[in-house]
Amino acid sequence: PEEIYRNPVDVRVAEFIGSPKINLLPARAGAGGRISVCNQPLRISTPDPLVQSVTLGVRPENVELSIRERSDLQGRLVYLENMGAEFIAHVDVPGLETPVLVRCDVEQGHQLKLDQQIGIRIKPKHALLFNDQGRRIESCKLHQEARHESACA
């Protein structure tokens, strides 16, 4: 089960395993295969130069809340689930159909306010790419950029 969770072969398997569900974000591959979501370039690229339309899969524990200036995407906190030992933040990102789910610890969750504008950062080494048929693109390159600390703002 751990291997299926970490390395699903397709979107259907990725959605079936895990709770809360994996975030599936429509994305595009630009010059050099660099992946963008909502026209925002991420620190991920595909090795396949022919791929243009992809789906970026990222589990809620592999997304971090960040200060807006250091984020991959920006949005508004629309819902906050207190799960006891953790919180699940639902962040509405303009241009995406569904909110991005972010797993937070209790301390961070208590600092959040509904309707707060907030940034999110995707942990690139845990990102999953799927082609337009839903099949996994097995490898992706990570762009090494200065790491920014996660912070709740």
Side-chain angles (χ1 to χ4, degrees), residues 48 50-51 58 77 123 130 133:
D48 186 346
L50 301 177
V51 172
V58 62
L77 183 65
K123 296 178 183 176
F130 301 94
Q133 287 88 40

Side-chain angles (χ1 to χ4, degrees), residues 42-95:
L42 303 179
R43 296 164 288 150
I44 305 162
S45 64
T46 176
D48 186 346
L50 301 177
V51 172
Q52 290 186 351
S53 180
V54 297
T55 299
L56 173 67
V58 62
R59 303 254 180 223
E61 64 270 20
N62 295 319
V63 182
E64 302 172 313
L65 298 177
S66 69
I67 58 174
R68 294 182 73 210
E69 296 77 24
R70 295 184 177 176
S71 62
D72 292 322
L73 301 169
Q74 297 178 14
R76 180 175 61 90
L77 183 65
V78 293
Y79 189 68
L80 190 60
E81 290 180 81
N82 184 337
M83 307 298 286
E86 65 185 5
F87 281 78
I88 306 295
H90 297 237
V91 180
D92 184 30
V93 175

